[in-house]
């Protein structure tokens, strides 16, 4: 743990609230599906008007809680809330042994390395050549002129990554469904994957179907799909609507991934993530057999553990590793406080142009307790889940976020405009950029 040389920054309480606020406003104010647009020469326009209109929040005139037996949605409310009592569901997962960590020595740790400037091989595609680019991630289109963030190659310390080859990746995907499941960071990785792959497929042999919450990119010749399924908390929650999830309370069903699993269970290669949504304060738990709508309340770290266990139970009981590959992507770091990498500054990722070159740098955007929860859960699933441990390598990339160079869905006030750092997005990642490398690591692990 020493090598992380973690800085102890003492946040004033206000700053902490502020960071939660930034997280919340950037994560919630998404109209994700509507942002993906197709090129004009494609027959089916993907921009559905209804994805762009926001639905007003629920006016609670009706205090009748929905029956808990029904599935959760954004209108679900708690009849009352009490403290969490420590309930756990006895599951297959809980009966698994902890495996011996590091027993099987890997020849090379792909996730330990450094960034090397390489403008001959990178970027792997041009931003404007990808018809599926999101306006949230197209930084150049939205005015970014320093483009160095597109030119970094990840160099593991003890080996080389196999070069990205779209045709070879399609061969690996032939006849298969590759599905990304998670939040907007995972969606960014999915868009990156589609952009990395689409150029070798003729326009009339590919399609994109926006079938929110599941969006599917299809390549006919390979009979293969690359899909994204919105499930930011992995378990069932009141935030499962990919467009309308601006809610005051997070309510989850800590013992159920069932609704989601029915969507993802047929995929051949699954890439899961979940992280930032657990970092926004307490979470309400509504257990499946709770009939009177009484919720329990638990902090984010406790709640993510319950959710990971429910997910792990699905993996443990349903995944045959000979037939299905499952990956978990670790925390995507944020860069909200420039003082963490440059003491005595007041900013964030805005105007950062270069990666951090201090080996082992670790900022407050990557929560160690959450990492320990993930470690613990996947330790028991070792034979069934591979880890894409992108946290440390992405920690270095303070230059990789959109900051102000993206489409913002709310109009910005004059005060905000006069202080660009105040509305900068230091959470998501520009494309081409860091998520392309996550996908190269995936390519190397398949
Ligand atoms: C690559 O970067 C070097 C050094 O910054 C620069 O001299 C060169 O013109 C760049 N090449 C391309 C193709 O952008
Ligand atoms: C990419 O992979 C395909 C199929 O495996 C192969 O035929 C081709 O030569 C590769 N391209 C490069 C540049 O390595
Ligand atoms: C295409 O792939 C699906 C699985 O994703 C499979 O069920 C189907 O048989 C395949 N079709 C052909 C023509 O290979
Ligand atoms: C990911 O890497 C970090 C070090 O960067 C390590 O502490 C953590 O245990 C790893 N997580 C998993 C799930 O392997």
């Amino acid at each position: 743990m020493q090598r992380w040389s973690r800085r102890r920054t003492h946040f004033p309480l206000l700053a902490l609230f502020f960071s939660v606020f930034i997280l919340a406003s950037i994560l919630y104010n998404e109209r994700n599906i509507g942002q993906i647009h197709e090129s004009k020469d494609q027959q089916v326009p993907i921009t559905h008007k209804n994805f762009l209109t926001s639905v007003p929040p629920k006016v609670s005139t009706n205090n009748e809680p929905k029956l808990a037996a029904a599935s959760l949605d954004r209108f679900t409310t708690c009849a009352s809330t009490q403290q969490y009592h420590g309930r756990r569901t006895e599951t297959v997962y809980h009966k698994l042994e902890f495996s011996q960590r590091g027993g099987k020595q890997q020849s090379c740790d792909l996730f330990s390395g450094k960034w090397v400037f390489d403008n001959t091989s990178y970027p792997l595609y041009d931003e404007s050549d990808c018809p599926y680019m999101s306006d949230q991630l197209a930084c150049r289109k939205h005015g970014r002129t320093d483009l160095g963030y597109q030119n970094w190659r990840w160099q593991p310390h003890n080996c080389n990554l196999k070069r990205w080859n779209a045709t070879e990746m399609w061969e690996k995907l032939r006849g298969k469904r590759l599905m990304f499941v998670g939040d907007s960071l995972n969606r960014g990785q999915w868009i990156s994957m589609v952009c990395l792959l689409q150029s070798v497929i003729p326009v009339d042999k590919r399609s994109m179907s926006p079938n929110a919450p599941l969006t599917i990119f299809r390549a006919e010749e390979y009979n293969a799909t690359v899909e994204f399924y919105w499930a930011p908390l992995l378990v069932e929650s009141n935030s499962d609507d990919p467009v309308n999830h601006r809610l005051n309370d997070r309510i989850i069903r800590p013992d159920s991934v069932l609704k989601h699993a029915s969507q993802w269970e047929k995929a051949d290669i699954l890439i899961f993530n979940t992280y930032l949504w657990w970092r926004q304060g307490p979470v309400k738990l509504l257990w499946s057999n709770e009939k009177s709508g009484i919720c329990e309340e638990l902090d984010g770290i406790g709640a993510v553990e319950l959710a990971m266990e429910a997910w792990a139970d699905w993996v443990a009981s349903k995944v045959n590793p000979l037939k299905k590959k499952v990956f978990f992507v670790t925390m995507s770091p944020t860069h909200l406080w420039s003082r963490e990498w440059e003491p005595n500054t007041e900013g964030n990722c805005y105007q950062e142009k270069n990666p951090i070159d201090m080996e082992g740098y670790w900022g407050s955007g990557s929560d160690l307790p959450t990492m320990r929860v993930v470690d613990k859960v996947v330790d028991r699933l070792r034979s069934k889940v591979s880890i894409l441990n992108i946290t440390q390598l992405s920690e270095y990339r303070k230059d990789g976020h959109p900051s102000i160079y993206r489409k913002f869905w709310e109009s910005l006030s004059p005060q905000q405009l006069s202080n660009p750092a105040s509305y900068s997005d230091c959470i998501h990642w520009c494309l081409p950029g860091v998520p392309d490398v996550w996908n190269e690591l995936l390519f190397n692990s398949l």
Side-chain angles (χ1 to χ4, degrees), residues 212-417:
L214 181 66
T215 310
I216 304 175
F217 179 77
R218 194 182 307 275
E220 255 175 57
E221 311 160 71
Y222 291 96
N223 186 30
T225 59
V226 181
E227 314 180 26
F228 174 69
Y229 181 68
W230 173 259
L233 298 155
L234 292 185
V235 288
E236 255 189 270
S237 80
N238 66 344
S239 307
D240 292 337
D241 183 317
V243 181
N244 300 297
H245 42 241
R246 234 179 299 176
L247 303 162
N248 293 330
D249 288 330
R250 300 287 135 201
I251 306 177
I252 65 165
R253 182 148 292 166
D255 51 347
S256 173
V257 294
L258 286 182
K259 192 177 70 179
H260 294 324
S262 67
Q263 295 286 330
W264 75 51
E265 67 191 359
K266 295 263 162 49
D268 302 284
I269 305 167
L270 278 157
I271 321 290
F272 292 96
N273 92 321
T274 190
Y275 172 49
L276 284 174
W277 284 60
W278 301 101
R279 301 267 290 153
Q280 296 155 18
V283 175
K284 299 206 159 132
L285 317 175
L286 187 53
W287 296 87
S288 300
N289 64 357
E290 170 52 56
K291 295 288 181 268
S292 43
I294 301 170
C295 295
E296 291 184 316
E297 189 168 85
L298 182 58
D299 56 13
I301 187 73
V304 71
E305 182 159 3
L306 290 178
M308 287 290 294
E309 286 179 356
W311 167 80
D313 189 48
W314 178 84
V315 175
S317 54
K318 297 281 164 44
V319 172
N320 172 354
L322 297 176
K323 299 215 170 104
K324 216 188 266 307
K325 291 208 162 110
V326 178
F327 291 85
F328 189 84
V329 184
T330 61
M331 313 180 280
S332 171
T334 57
H335 292 91
L336 303 177
W337 311 102
S338 61
R339 60 168 167 264
E340 294 180 2
W341 58 85
E342 196 178 343
N344 307 316
T345 55
E346 289 290 305
N348 51 28
C349 73
Y350 175 59
Q351 285 187 323
E352 292 293 345
K353 297 189 170 58
N354 286 298
I356 293 167
D357 60 10
M358 182 173 103
E359 170 111 29
Y361 170 82
W362 195 271
S364 66
S366 297
D367 184 52
L368 282 169
T370 306
M371 192 59 120
R372 296 290 85 93
V373 167
V374 172
D375 286 349
K376 187 172 134 194
V377 171
V378 300
D379 254 3
R380 288 190 184 173
L381 298 173
R382 206 108 283 242
S383 61
K384 301 193 172 192
V385 175
S386 307
I387 297 297
L388 289 180
N389 200 337
I390 55 114
T391 309
Q392 177 71 75
L393 67 96
S394 310
E395 268 290 353
Y396 300 127
R397 295 302 307 276
K398 62 179 168 54
D399 61 316
H401 300 285
S403 70
I404 64 170
Y405 307 109
R406 54 164 279 191
K407 187 176 172 81
F408 288 92
W409 308 101
E410 312 293 314
S411 57
L412 299 161
S413 68
Q415 288 106 303
Q416 283 178 309
L417 289 168

Side-chain angles (χ1 to χ4, degrees), residues 165-168 171:
N165 178 330
T167 312
E168 194 181 335
E171 287 300 340

Side-chain angles (χ1 to χ4, degrees), residues 164-170 194-203 205-206 217 219 221-222:
W164 171 258
N165 178 330
T167 312
E168 194 181 335
M169 183 66 180
W170 278 121
V194 171
C195 290
L196 282 165
L197 284 170
Q198 56 91 27
S199 64
V200 298
I201 308 291
V203 170
K205 291 281 198 300
R206 53 169 134 112
F217 179 77
E221 311 160 71
Y222 291 96

Side-chain angles (χ1 to χ4, degrees), residues 40-198:
K40 304 208 173 47
D41 48 288
Q42 220 118 24
Q43 279 117 1
V44 194
I46 198 170
T47 314
H48 282 200
K49 212 165 146 224
N50 60 322
F51 291 142
L52 296 167
T53 43
S54 74
V55 174
K58 190 207 175 202
V59 192
S60 15
T61 44
N62 182 357
N63 292 325
E64 199 90 31
K66 288 185 53 154
L67 267 189
S71 64
L72 277 185
D73 63 24
R74 67 198 161 96
F75 301 115
T76 305
T77 52
C78 298
S80 64
T81 301
Q82 44 185 251
Q83 272 306 306
Y84 174 59
H85 284 87
R87 174 169 168 185
R88 281 284 200 279
T89 318
E90 193 52 36
T91 60
V92 176
Y93 163 76
H94 279 106
K95 299 193 184 86
L96 298 177
E97 305 271 309
F98 281 102
S99 62
Q100 202 56 48
R101 264 236 153 173
K104 199 172 70 188
Q105 205 58 45
Q106 286 249 305
S107 55
C108 171
D109 179 1
L110 297 181
F111 308 105
S112 163
K114 61 176 184 199
W115 291 96
V116 177
F117 188 77
D118 176 355
N119 62 357
T120 50
S121 317
Y122 289 77
L124 296 169
Y125 54 91
D126 197 276
E127 185 194 280
S128 57
D129 288 346
C130 180
Y132 311 100
M133 184 58 69
S134 157
D135 271 335
Q136 190 180 299
L137 311 173
C139 299
R140 182 180 194 169
K141 175 177 168 193
H142 291 277
R144 187 158 177 181
T145 52
D146 62 300
L147 300 176
Y149 68 88
Q150 303 188 353
N151 296 131
W152 294 89
R153 177 166 56 82
W154 178 247
Q155 177 63 58
H157 284 315
N158 299 314
C159 52
N160 294 320
L161 288 177
K162 191 166 61 173
R163 278 182 68 100
W164 171 258
N165 178 330
T167 312
E168 194 181 335
M169 183 66 180
W170 278 121
E171 287 300 340
K172 290 176 197 277
L173 297 180
R174 188 181 284 282
K176 296 202 167 90
R177 292 177 67 186
L178 164 63
M179 193 189 287
F180 291 84
V181 178
D183 61 21
S184 57
L185 276 309
N186 202 274
R187 186 177 56 229
Q189 189 179 350
W190 167 73
I191 293 172
S192 153
M193 182 59 96
V194 171
C195 290
L196 282 165
L197 284 170
Q198 56 91 27

